[in-house]
Amino acid sequence: MEKDMAQTLLEIRDLHASVEGKHVLKGLNLTIRPGEVHAIMGPNGSGKSTLSKVIAGHPAYEVTAGSVRYEINFQMRDLLEMEPDVRAKEGIFLAFQYPIEVPGVSNIAFLRTSFNAILKHQGSQELDETQFAEFVNKKLEIVKMDPRFLDRPVNVGFSGGEKKRNEILQMAVLSPRVAFLDETDSGLDIDALRIVADGVNRLRTKDNAIVLVTHYQRLLDYVVPDFVHVLADGRIVETGDKSLAVTLEARGYDWLVK
Amino acid sequence: MNQAIENFKQIFAELQAHRALPALAGTPLAWLERERELAVEKWSVDGLPTRKLEAWKYTSVQAISDAEIVDAGGPDARALAELESVHESARMQVAVAAELVFVNGRFIPQWSTLPHIAGLHVLSLAAALRSDVPYVRNVLSAMRETFGSAAHKGAETAFAALNTSLFRDAAVVIAEDDCFVGSPIILTFIQSGTASSRVAPQRMTAVYPKVLAHFGRHSQGHVIENHIGPNGATYVSTSLSDLHLGDSSHVSYVKLQREGDHGFHVGTTRVFQARDSRLDSLQISLGAKLARHDLKVRLAAPGAEAVVDGLYIVRDHQHVDNHTAIEHAVGDTRSDQLYKGVLDDESRAVFNGRIWINQDAQRSNSSQLNNNLILSMKAEIDTKPELEIFADDVKAGHGATVGRLDPEHLFYFQSRAIDPASAVAMLAEGFAQEVVFRRGSAVVREALLPLVRQAVRGLKVSVR
């Protein structure tokens, strides 16, 4: 029993959530274990983005029922009790569908503050500017990012593809245990998609888990998931392996949604 | 007539009776003595301003008017020892060309560093009056033409007039023609104040910091005025700074206000700009219970240009009021203003930007922006441009924004492990530091950035 517990990283049970008074998630169940890649697919409005936001702790999303438990030091803890920054410190990551532009704050200062917040939380020595520059330079290569992007304000004037690469750079720096990638493939041309997918693949380890929230099968050609779930009307209605994504691509969602 | 004015009158009478200008004793500058008397009329007849005056509509100085005013004495050794920690926090982390330190308006030689640059004179007015350097003597006599009451008619505030009547000593900065000074000249004014009481009327010490600066033809330099006082002490500082920029001179001027949390700072800066001169001004207001700055710039000859910026970061019940007045007296002059403010808690800010373009001042170019970031529902900003344009071939733009912190920004930071307080500090710093980055001098930027970083610490947000 204890062994089983340790092998679960994130456990979502009967999750109900609403935003602006609208009931979006209606009893969602999902179990995520270390080393797994999950894909969550579904039509518009099915609740994909809501799930990501609820896990990250966006204040506008209200959980009305159910639980989300997260393994910290071999104990399953109530994730929903934690502030968003505490979740991030404990290894939860959300790559935003629409990354936020932050004028006046340089990308490298943002990354360093973020990284040091986690180090501090873990009781480790924080990195000074020189040490961090050295550390982050090695990570740039994962998403083939020009070092000049580090000195620019966070996401300001970045193209759609550059913003998504910046999200994956943040993921590379923070080494999360559970990463939700919300429509990270949307708005990418094929070259950018390859770079982003390649970056994600390099960040896969046996200890972490990645959840790809996506509309299309395209990304899954590059990042091959262990599980594909179909989300419809706030619930997971079908789970399969990567072949399910191919079926969905061919047949659409209608046959499941009805 | 109110309590404060009665006390100021007594203080002036004592000065007259003793000719008791200890610092200046024996070295009278006849015109300055005459100016003192002329200035008395301004404040003793009209009194301190009330909110009935348009220029003081949003800023009440009633607390000063009602206070029992005590003249700040010169500090003795014990007082200086008590102020050592304030002096320490006043220090700026920068190599200086010179630094003069004044306590309660009295020059403190042992805390000061005199310059060793040919053509640069940074000294107390008392010392300047004893100087036998012809350039210094000439400048002191000529200052009257630019800054005497005749030049300003009735336009100055009662507080500036109080300074003229009651100041004891002044910081004098004189850069001779072609003198180039790369490091900042720092003028530090420390106020000791008096322990604040909970009952009205408040007892308040008065200080009159004064700066006289002259930059000769083709000279260049950086002046940083540094005003500071201890928290918990009550006082009113009526600072008055006069800057004269000669032909083709280039002067960067920073006025940094970090008065104590019970201090009042009502200051004026007057700038006169000759042909092709360039002013780069930044008023930073972080401290004081109430701060008011009047900045008057006269672009007096073609080619003169002024970059006039400001930054205020206020919280609790702080009140800050910036009044700027840029006069395009002739054509082919340029002014560019950017004032930015961060307001938290129940603080209040006022910005009033007056631009006057004279009838003959064709091809004048002026712009003005006031951007505010409000972190609390209870903070308030009153911002108003005041354009008076009498020429037809001009460019004059103005704008103001009042924004709140975007909750999506905050969530983005939190999702990256950054706690809300650090996020607010980073966002506010990012917003505020734009004015620092507009400074041309890397040395000045480096000196100011840590102050901005420190000032945004502890800001809160209640956007939801």
Side-chain angles (χ1 to χ4, degrees), chain A residues 33-127:
Chain A
R33 296 183 182 80
E36 293 176 349
V37 172
H38 293 250
I40 296 180
M41 304 183 71
N44 280 332
S46 59
K48 299 193 302 294
S49 274
T50 297
L51 175 62
S52 306
K53 294 273 173 60
V54 167
I55 296 302
H58 193 293
Y61 293 78
E62 192 192 350
V63 174
T64 50
S67 68
V68 179
R69 303 202 315 144
Y70 177 53
E71 184 267 314
I72 299 171
N73 293 331
F74 307 106
Q75 287 192 341
M76 294 309 285
R77 306 271 289 272
D78 183 356
L79 185 76
L80 302 175
E81 280 295 304
M82 301 176 200
E83 290 296 313
D85 52 296
V86 176
R87 299 182 196 193
K89 284 167 188 154
E90 293 290 357
I92 300 284
F93 181 86
L94 168 62
F96 280 49
Q97 181 179 4
Y98 303 108
I100 310 288
E101 298 189 5
V102 191
V105 177
S106 77
N107 217 8
I108 192 160
F110 184 65
L111 282 166
R112 187 164 81 93
T113 307
S114 178
F115 186 64
N116 276 339
I118 290 176
L119 288 183
K120 192 178 171 191
H121 183 73
Q122 293 169 346
S124 308
Q125 184 76 34
E126 296 175 40
L127 298 192

Side-chain angles (χ1 to χ4, degrees), chain B residues 68-399:
Chain B
E68 182 193 345
I69 300 290
V70 185
D71 199 41
D76 53 20
R78 197 181 134 204
L80 284 185
E82 282 172 6
L83 285 169
E84 187 52 60
S85 65
V86 180
H87 178 222
E88 200 51 49
S89 53
R91 280 230 170 85
M92 302 189 66
Q93 302 304 317
V94 60
V96 300
E99 178 175 9
L100 300 185
V101 179
F102 291 76
V103 171
N104 293 345
R106 271 72 166 187
F107 179 53
I108 309 297
Q110 65 270 33
W111 285 358
S112 301
T113 309
L114 298 179
H116 296 281
I117 295 170
L120 176 67
H121 311 273
V122 181
L123 67 182
S124 69
L125 179 60
L129 291 171
R130 291 192 297 269
S131 170
D132 50 12
V133 178
Y135 197 100
V136 172
R137 299 189 74 84
N138 290 341
V139 165
L140 289 180
S141 331
M143 278 272 180
R144 177 184 204 174
E145 285 163 34
T146 330
F147 301 113
S149 55
H152 284 273
K153 303 182 185 76
E156 66 185 9
T157 71
F159 291 95
L162 272 170
N163 180 292
T164 302
S165 296
L166 299 172
F167 80 93
R168 304 306 154 77
D169 203 348
V172 174
V173 175
I174 296 173
E176 295 186 18
D177 298 353
D178 304 308
C179 178
F180 175 90
V181 190
S183 306
I185 298 157
I186 298 189
L187 310 173
T188 296
F189 295 94
I190 298 172
Q191 281 65 249
S192 68
T194 182
S196 69
S197 73
R198 283 159 186 273
V199 289
Q202 195 64 251
R203 212 175 139 95
M204 215 180 259
T205 47
V207 289
Y208 326 96
K210 192 175 190 68
V211 172
L212 295 169
H214 173 97
F215 284 81
R217 288 167 60 92
H218 297 286
S219 66
Q220 246 188 69
H222 311 279
V223 176
I224 300 178
E225 253 183 68
N226 184 21
H227 297 263
I228 196 163
N231 284 336
T234 304
Y235 58 89
V236 54
S237 168
T238 63
S239 79
L240 177 59
S241 306
D242 286 333
L243 279 68
H244 184 280
L245 276 58
D247 289 355
S248 303
S249 62
H250 186 164
V251 176
S252 99
Y253 168 74
V254 177
K255 181 173 173 183
L256 174 60
Q257 183 275 107
R258 292 180 289 169
E259 304 285 10
D261 58 5
H262 284 64
F264 290 75
H265 183 106
V266 189
T268 301
T269 298
R270 302 183 296 204
V271 186
F272 177 92
Q273 291 191 238
R275 181 178 290 270
D276 295 327
S277 64
R278 156 95 188 220
L279 170 74
D280 186 3
S281 169
L282 174 60
Q283 301 257 340
I284 301 184
S285 200
L286 305 175
K289 184 187 177 77
L290 181 147
R292 159 88 178 219
H293 305 276
D294 280 77
L295 174 61
K296 294 160 197 263
V297 178
R298 183 171 153 87
L299 302 167
E305 53 179 318
V307 174
V308 176
D309 292 349
L311 172 65
Y312 41 93
I313 301 174
V314 283
R315 62 184 82 195
D316 300 327
H317 287 87
Q318 279 183 291
H319 181 111
V320 60
D321 179 346
N322 277 289
H323 265 65
T324 64
I326 316 283
E327 182 188 354
H328 292 256
V330 300
D332 298 301
T333 48
R334 192 178 79 85
S335 67
D336 177 10
Q337 295 183 68
L338 175 63
Y339 272 72
K340 296 193 90 166
V342 181
L343 290 82
D344 201 356
D345 303 321
E346 295 179 46
S347 62
R348 191 153 179 201
V350 180
F351 175 77
N352 190 101
R354 182 161 181 260
I355 294 169
W356 172 285
I357 301 182
N358 217 351
Q359 196 176 341
D360 304 321
Q362 303 297 353
R363 297 169 308 280
S364 290
N365 188 333
S366 81
S367 71
Q368 179 189 92
L369 257 183
N370 174 225
N371 297 333
N372 297 280
L373 176 63
I374 296 200
L375 300 176
S376 150
M377 301 303 277
K378 289 181 175 168
E380 184 178 330
I381 166 81
D382 293 286
T383 177
K384 186 175 132 201
E386 211 181 314
L387 272 58
E388 292 178 72
I389 301 173
F390 301 97
D392 43 31
D393 180 17
V394 301
K395 279 187 192 146
H398 65 86

Side-chain angles (χ1 to χ4, degrees), chain B residues 17-76:
Chain B
H18 297 97
R19 274 266 153 251
L21 315 176
L24 301 183
T27 53
L29 196 58
W31 69 262
L32 212 48
E33 293 306 309
R34 178 83 187 113
E35 286 294 324
R36 284 187 194 278
E37 285 160 30
L38 286 174
V40 169
E41 285 171 30
K42 172 75 190 168
W43 55 264
S44 69
V45 177
D46 298 348
L48 298 181
T50 67
R51 293 184 57 187
K52 285 179 192 148
L53 296 170
E54 184 61 26
W56 296 84
K57 190 173 168 186
Y58 300 109
T59 297
S60 167
V61 292
Q62 194 68 41
I64 303 172
S65 303
D66 291 346
E68 182 193 345
I69 300 290
V70 185
D71 199 41
D76 53 20

Side-chain angles (χ1 to χ4, degrees), chain A residues 58 84-85 88-89 93-94 96 101-102 104 113-114 117 155 167 170, chain B residues 408-409 411-420 426-427 430 433 464:
Chain A
H58 193 293
D85 52 296
K89 284 167 188 154
F93 181 86
L94 168 62
F96 280 49
E101 298 189 5
V102 191
T113 307
S114 178
N155 294 327
E167 295 289 290
Q170 292 172 8
Chain B
E408 294 299 326
H409 275 110
F411 175 63
Y412 193 51
F413 276 67
Q414 280 192 274
S415 78
R416 298 298 178 259
I418 301 170
D419 65 82
M426 283 182 87
L427 287 163
Q433 66 190 4
R464 292 196 278 275

Side-chain angles (χ1 to χ4, degrees), chain A residues 188-206:
Chain A
L188 295 184
D189 62 29
I190 192 70
D191 292 328
L193 181 69
R194 277 207 185 106
I195 292 170
V196 165
D198 183 47
V200 172
N201 280 328
R202 289 178 58 179
L203 296 173
R204 280 177 88 157
T205 71
K206 65 178 174 46

